[in-house]
Amino acid sequence: MTNPPTSPPPALPRHVAVIGAAGGLGQAILRICRAEGIRFTAIVRSRPERIADVPAGSRVAVVRSLADRAALTDAFAGTDAVLTALGVTPTSDDPSSRLSANMDAVNASMRAADVDRIVVVNTLLTAPPGEPPSRAIRFFSHVPGRIGRGAAELQAVVDALGNGAFASLRWTLVRAAVNARGKDERPAASVDANGTRNNSLMPVSYDAMGRWMLEEAAANAFVRQAPKVSRQRN
């Protein structure tokens, strides 16, 4: 009896730049890179020592402001794709750290570095670019403190994409269900009208989401789309 044919493993990029590499999702992306032999440039605002175990061919780049085009261009040089791992942090109200306030700088720096692929993480609660904000995002945007600032920032990125930001790039907006307690299983990805055909509202682990983002950076299955990426619907 012959064994059934097996699918080849998904293609992966050779070298990625990771914005927000010191956070939970960023560290997970770096773990997958180390395991798969993918070179990385870990972009952090400060304290580069937080990124340990940097393999040969990889490096840590300190970029204190996302408005610094020269520093970003240097960090993006030689990479195949840029992945963001920016979430709700104490610096969410600092314009120099916000992607929404610096998308023109990121776009120009990527083009200067001859890179045109970016995978941007967001939240499952946002509507796709060009559509009105979801009821959940409208609610959380009015919550005081870090949660409200973070929700407003995530929606601002969606609005900017809907208004033509990153128009010269092959972007994917990952509307992700992910947290540290999520299941370590391959997520489903869907762009159907209501996002319920394949997806639940349940999160996957940082490692599972990091691997999916790396695979999408090479597969280009959702270019200029905003898939929901979460646990498979039962």
Side-chain angles (χ1 to χ4, degrees):
M1 179 181 296
T2 58
N3 293 323
T6 57
S7 300
L12 294 168
R14 297 167 299 175
H15 190 162
V16 295
V18 183
I19 302 175
L25 177 59
Q27 293 278 10
I29 293 171
L30 301 188
R31 280 195 295 273
I32 303 301
C33 287
R34 295 184 190 101
E36 297 291 346
I38 302 168
R39 299 189 300 278
F40 61 77
T41 299
I43 299 174
V44 297
R45 286 169 54 85
S46 62
R47 295 171 57 196
E49 68 276 5
R50 289 178 295 177
I51 308 298
D53 187 16
V54 180
S58 297
R59 64 189 179 105
V60 181
V62 177
V63 178
R64 301 189 186 280
S65 170
L66 291 180
D68 188 338
R69 299 190 182 195
L72 283 174
T73 299
D74 178 71
F76 296 154
T79 66
D80 301 317
V82 176
L83 279 63
T84 75
L86 299 169
V88 178
T89 71
T91 61
S92 296
D93 56 347
D94 178 355
S96 71
S97 71
R98 294 204 308 259
L99 180 62
S100 66
N102 298 287
M103 293 173 82
D104 286 346
V106 172
N107 187 102
S109 300
M110 288 180 62
R111 300 304 309 192
D114 198 26
V115 184
D116 74 345
R117 184 70 173 110
I118 185 167
V119 181
V120 180
V121 75
N122 205 279
T123 173
L124 189 74
L125 301 179
T126 53
E131 296 187 9
S134 68
R135 184 177 303 174
I137 281 292
R138 291 199 302 269
F139 171 81
F140 283 112
S141 294
H142 289 91
V143 174
R146 186 187 302 181
I147 291 176
R149 293 195 304 270
E153 163 63 10
L154 293 169
Q155 183 60 44
V157 171
V158 175
D159 291 342
L161 289 172
N163 289 325
F166 291 169
S168 67
L169 304 177
R170 294 178 299 149
W171 57 264
T172 299
L173 183 77
V174 184
R175 293 186 291 151
V178 58
N179 64 42
R181 297 181 298 278
K183 288 287 187 179
D184 191 20
E185 63 184 44
R186 183 176 181 83
S190 175
V191 290
D192 66 281
N194 58 21
T196 59
R197 183 177 59 203
N198 298 320
N199 298 84
S200 72
L201 298 177
M202 301 301 293
V204 296
S205 67
Y206 286 138
D207 282 59
M209 187 62 66
R211 178 175 288 278
W212 189 92
M213 291 175 67
L214 285 163
E215 291 175 359
E216 172 56 24
N220 301 313
F222 296 98
V223 171
R224 297 192 179 94
Q225 297 184 72
K228 288 188 174 184
V229 184
S230 66
R231 286 184 63 188
Q232 180 79 36
R233 187 177 180 85
N234 292 328

